[in-house]
Amino acid sequence: MPADLTATEALGLWHRVVLEQVRRDGHDLSLRQLSILLQIYLVPPPHTVRGLAATLGVTKPVITRALDTMGALHLVDRERDDKDRRNVIIKRTLAGALYLEKLGDLIRAEARHTAP
């Protein structure tokens, strides 16, 4: 994969990835949902609703709505923090890990089309 993409090449790659995501039978996530999911899986835990809201610069209800959707898809799970019942801990799931692995494979495959 080329290390340096032009803006047009980068947008073309993003376009192909997004287009393929929409074409697939699975669920496509909004950019907000995807950014939350990536934060949960790429940054070491623990993750809380409060912490995700602060990191993404959004309100807790925004995170909660996104987690509701992703929870229904079994991409994440939630549980109360036993040490502080006000906190909700976000847990990774096998389905979420597989979703992101397939997305990563798709990005790599589409990036090969960008290579000279």
Side-chain angles (χ1 to χ4, degrees), residues 6 9-10 15 32 41 44 69-70 77 84-86 89:
T6 66
E9 290 169 334
H15 176 242
R32 179 171 286 151
Y41 280 84
T69 299
M70 291 186 292
D77 200 6
D84 184 347
R85 302 294 293 166
R86 296 172 297 172
I89 304 293

Side-chain angles (χ1 to χ4, degrees), residues 4-15:
D4 293 318
L5 297 177
T6 66
T8 300
E9 290 169 334
L11 289 171
L13 172 59
W14 185 246
H15 176 242

